[in-house]
Amino acid sequence: KDSDEATRMQRHERDERVRERTRQYTSKPPPGSGRFHGATQVSIELKDMVVLVDDEPNIRETVAFILEAEGLEVETGSDGVEGLEAVKRCRPKVVLLDVMMPRMDGYEVCQAIRQDRSLDGVFIMILTARGQKSDEAKALEVGADLYMSKPFDDEVVLQVIREVFEGRLASRYGAVAGDTGVHYQRSAVS
């Protein structure tokens, strides 16, 4: 009983940390802040869909099933290369990435998405078994918007996706919450 209670407490604390992180991205940054100095606005269209990339078939199928049961459109990839191709082809608003995958890991996929100007505004969540602070720091450094260690709470993931689709939550890289459909094209910063 004590271990069950401790597990529930740990999950509750983790979920609270995730909710706090998501709140960080809902406030509009002050003008002139961020990495887009002298940027120009360019319209892009990201679709209300999710690309899920995980090399474990059971996890991929289970998470896809849960998302589809909620009425979400989902495209999957079984490794980093397939996942990046799906992101470029589908142009989703949300990407769920595992870290440890063949051919291209989740960090590399995240970095590649962030380097593609046409994908600015894509909200990237890292969902991984790696739970060390250094893993989280690396994920955020390469451009992830949110980091959650497995096992994660499906409801928290669904809430984040809903908030992105509704324009109440936006990626740190691209469109600002409330400014859906617009991203800021990068320009050289000295």
Side-chain angles (χ1 to χ4, degrees), residues 108-145:
E108 294 168 316
V109 174
C110 186
Q111 225 167 7
I113 292 169
R114 293 300 180 222
Q115 291 171 354
D116 186 334
R117 292 182 195 174
S118 71
L119 296 172
D120 278 354
V122 171
F123 193 93
I124 301 174
M125 278 193 280
I126 300 283
L127 305 174
T128 183
R130 300 178 86 163
Q132 301 298 316
K133 286 286 184 195
S134 60
D135 297 317
E136 181 176 3
K138 182 172 182 178
L140 297 174
E141 181 181 306
V142 298
D145 292 296

Side-chain angles (χ1 to χ4, degrees), residues 34-45:
R35 64 183 186 138
F36 300 107
H37 301 288
T40 57
Q41 288 190 353
V42 178
S43 292
I44 63 166
E45 292 181 32

Side-chain angles (χ1 to χ4, degrees), residues 4 9 16-17 24 45 47 62 64-65 88-89 98 103 123 128 131 134 142 144 152 156 161 170 178-179 186 189:
D4 290 345
M9 294 278 293
E16 284 302 312
R17 286 193 308 270
Q24 293 173 7
E45 292 181 32
K47 297 177 185 168
T62 301
F65 177 80
K88 289 181 176 186
R89 182 179 66 254
D98 185 22
R103 299 205 295 165
F123 193 93
T128 183
S134 60
V142 298
F152 50 85
V156 173
I161 293 169
D179 293 340
R186 295 183 189 105
V189 176

Side-chain angles (χ1 to χ4, degrees), residues 12-155:
H12 176 73
E13 289 170 3
R14 181 195 67 211
D15 293 347
E16 284 302 312
R17 286 193 308 270
V18 168
R19 286 184 189 99
E20 179 58 34
R21 273 191 230 128
T22 61
R23 283 191 280 274
Q24 293 173 7
Y25 308 125
T26 58
S27 61
K28 200 169 188 171
S33 68
R35 64 183 186 138
F36 300 107
H37 301 288
T40 57
Q41 288 190 353
V42 178
S43 292
I44 63 166
E45 292 181 32
L46 297 176
K47 297 177 185 168
D48 281 350
M49 72 173 301
V50 176
V51 169
L52 166 64
V53 190
D54 198 306
D55 62 322
E56 290 292 329
N58 292 339
I59 293 173
R60 191 173 57 249
E61 291 166 14
T62 301
V63 174
F65 177 80
I66 291 167
L67 298 176
E68 289 169 344
E70 291 293 317
L72 302 174
E73 184 180 350
V74 180
E75 179 78 21
T76 62
S78 61
D79 63 44
V81 172
E82 276 185 22
L84 184 57
E85 289 170 355
V87 170
K88 289 181 176 186
R89 182 179 66 254
C90 298
R91 305 180 53 72
K93 284 188 180 175
V94 176
V95 175
L96 306 179
L97 284 176
D98 185 22
V99 171
M100 298 177 289
M101 297 184 291
R103 299 205 295 165
M104 187 178 209
D105 70 28
Y107 298 132
E108 294 168 316
V109 174
C110 186
Q111 225 167 7
I113 292 169
R114 293 300 180 222
Q115 291 171 354
D116 186 334
R117 292 182 195 174
S118 71
L119 296 172
D120 278 354
V122 171
F123 193 93
I124 301 174
M125 278 193 280
I126 300 283
L127 305 174
T128 183
R130 300 178 86 163
Q132 301 298 316
K133 286 286 184 195
S134 60
D135 297 317
E136 181 176 3
K138 182 172 182 178
L140 297 174
E141 181 181 306
V142 298
D145 292 296
L146 200 55
Y147 183 94
M148 296 176 71
S149 56
K150 296 175 184 173
F152 50 85
D153 185 333
D154 300 339
E155 283 303 314

